Amino acid sequence: MKKNVFIGTVLALLIIYAGTGVYLLFDSPFTHKEQANVVRQPLYTVYRSDEVPYSTHRALSMVASEQPTALLPWGIALDSLNGFIWVAEPGCQPDVQCPATQSGVLGQYAFSDGTLIQNLYEPDGYSSPLFTAVDANGDVWFTQPDSDAIGEYNPQNQQWNQWFLKKGSEPFDLTFDRYGNLWFTEFRSNAIGFFNLRTHTVAEHATPTPGSNPYGITVDHQGRIWFAENGAGVDQIASFMPTLSGSIKITEYPTGGLRPHLIDVDQVGHIWYTGGFGGNIGEFNPQSGSETQFVVYQGICSSPTNCSGTHISGISIDTKGDVWFTDSLSHRVGYLIPSTGQVVARTIDVSNAHPYDGLMIDRSERVWFTEEFESTLTMWPASAVKS
């Protein structure tokens, strides 16, 4: 009898607790979605764009799409964790034709199918954004070469921030290290910049070679950062190991490429870079120090340094190790198969589309690229080029 009374008492208590929302023996009162919001990932945990897990609730389109942009799109960043594509739209070329007082646009697109969500116009006092990157919290960072500044946009509170660098630095491409700090190339001041997201500390380090014009930048699987040196007659890539203080030692490597532009890392740690006007893509093996050049422009060149019909710039490597590229002057987007040297490319219908620095491949092998002069963001499924 006492045993039955005890069991009844326990059941009654459980019912009371359940009615008040306090659970002792059952599941947490939070849904799984709510738990994900409460237990957040550590601040500034950094993901490469090809490592971030996809949002499972989104059905990914495998149909080609093309969406208009507002102002001459340039760099793009994939935020697959939150379901967005971000496009930096400067509105003019990053040179003397682009005044420091001209504001630009950050275009926000759906990662699921590439449709436009909204155009975010920069506030007064900001200048044309060129390249963009997304941190682990979903904040969007971008360079403003015409005003020598780094910008940030927080989509959650719709807040803009910016930090000015030394005059004449002209920041270009940017990436995050394993600590969550931001590193960027400074094209005009021939330096590498560092920005601590917590303390807002800035450090800038000159490259060993004067006139190097640092352009593209990326991080490898060991955390080492690599960048391309675009200066005429320099033709190098370089690397350094990032530190928490921003103090670095840069090592440079001569290449057989011509005016290297953007740079990426494959699955085995080899470094790939576009050869600019030489019609080629270079591969550098950090372990052996060896280099291989692949010709991807099949037009007529009077010499290896005079291929006026080509400008290889954008680069991104897919999950199979194929190296994708954009050629703005031949109006092509295609890929190189390193094992065979075969090049497969598709010519864009509009001859003045100018696919340039904005190129990314996601883990479903979808190809994202900007067409600068056509002001469009294009997404191709892998089948659009690969059979």
Side-chain angles (χ1 to χ4, degrees):
M1 180 68 178
K2 291 182 178 180
K3 182 177 180 181
N4 292 336
V5 171
F6 174 76
I7 294 174
T9 302
V10 170
L11 289 174
L13 287 172
L14 288 176
I15 293 172
I16 292 172
Y17 278 121
T20 59
V22 180
Y23 291 74
L24 296 179
L25 302 179
F26 302 114
D27 198 6
S28 165
F30 296 109
T31 65
H32 292 296
K33 183 176 181 180
E34 289 168 335
Q35 285 178 341
N37 290 332
V38 173
V39 185
R40 298 186 65 187
Q41 40 184 316
L43 189 63
Y44 301 124
T45 299
V46 178
Y47 296 96
R48 287 172 53 87
S49 60
D50 57 352
E51 293 174 345
V52 178
Y54 288 164
S55 300
T56 56
H57 66 283
R58 295 181 180 272
L60 297 181
S61 171
M62 297 308 292
V63 179
S65 69
E66 188 173 70
Q67 289 288 314
T69 65
L71 298 170
L72 298 179
W74 200 281
I76 61 177
L78 276 62
D79 180 10
S80 52
L81 186 65
N82 294 299
F84 303 127
I85 301 290
W86 293 94
V87 181
E89 303 177 37
C92 52
Q93 297 288 341
D95 53 25
V96 294
Q97 302 174 17
C98 207
T101 56
Q102 176 171 328
S103 298
V105 169
L106 289 179
Q108 184 182 24
Y109 293 79
F111 182 76
S112 56
D113 58 9
T115 56
L116 175 66
I117 297 174
Q118 62 179 327
N119 287 316
L120 296 161
Y121 289 83
E122 291 180 309
D124 292 340
Y126 288 65
S127 69
S128 303
L130 196 67
F131 287 94
T132 184
V134 180
D135 69 21
N137 295 322
D139 293 350
V140 185
W141 295 79
F142 52 95
T143 52
Q144 302 169 89
D146 293 291
S147 60
D148 305 316
I150 297 293
E152 176 198 18
Y153 176 72
N154 184 322
Q156 291 185 338
N157 59 24
Q158 301 178 4
Q159 179 179 347
W160 298 81
N161 298 295
Q162 71 174 332
W163 293 265
F164 289 95
L165 311 171
K166 67 182 179 183
K167 190 174 181 179
S169 57
E170 197 165 314
F172 254 53
D173 200 8
L174 66 172
T175 191
F176 294 98
D177 66 20
R178 62 175 61 181
Y179 309 114
N181 294 320
L182 186 67
W183 296 86
F184 49 92
T185 54
E186 296 185 358
F187 189 79
R188 292 298 176 200
S189 62
N190 306 303
I192 297 298
F194 161 86
F195 183 79
N196 186 308
L197 272 63
R198 297 179 183 87
T199 65
H200 300 163
T201 302
V202 175
E204 297 166 283
H205 302 275
T207 58
T209 300
S212 60
N213 297 143
Y215 201 108
I217 191 168
T218 192
V219 59
D220 70 17
H221 309 306
Q222 283 71 48
R224 178 170 289 274
I225 292 179
W226 295 80
F227 62 95
E229 297 185 338
N230 181 252
V234 176
D235 304 329
Q236 298 179 143
I237 61 174
S239 71
F240 61 89
M241 185 60 73
T243 64
L244 286 171
S245 66
S247 177
I248 58 174
K249 181 180 179 181
I250 297 173
T251 303
E252 296 174 321
Y253 308 89
T255 73
L258 180 68
R259 309 289 295 274
H261 278 59
L262 294 182
I263 191 166
D264 203 359
V265 183
D266 68 15
Q267 290 86 342
V268 298
H270 291 188
I271 312 302
W272 293 84
Y273 58 91
T274 49
F277 295 100
N280 63 318
I281 291 176
E283 175 192 18
F284 179 75
N285 184 334
Q287 287 73 39
S288 65
S290 62
E291 185 195 54
T292 305
Q293 291 291 324
F294 297 86
V295 176
V296 296
Y297 176 67
Q298 303 299 327
I300 299 174
C301 301
S302 60
S303 72
T305 60
N306 186 19
C307 292
S308 59
T310 184
H311 190 181
I312 313 294
S313 185
I315 192 168
S316 186
I317 301 170
D318 67 23
T319 58
K320 297 180 176 62
D322 294 336
V323 183
W324 289 79
F325 64 90
T326 54
D327 189 338
S328 59
L329 295 186
S330 70
H331 326 297
R332 296 180 308 143
V333 176
Y335 63 95
L336 162 73
I337 304 174
S339 60
T340 63
Q342 180 185 4
V343 176
V344 180
R346 174 177 169 182
T347 301
I348 296 173
D349 296 336
V350 180
S351 61
N352 197 37
H354 206 259
Y356 197 42
D357 284 341
L359 173 68
M360 293 292 288
I361 314 300
D362 68 30
R363 288 173 62 182
S364 290
E365 307 297 328
R366 298 184 303 173
V367 185
W368 300 85
F369 61 94
T370 52
E371 300 175 37
E372 184 187 2
F373 296 156
E374 275 294 291
S375 291
T376 58
L377 170 66
T378 298
M379 184 272 287
W380 287 348
S383 60
V385 176
K386 291 190 174 185
S387 58

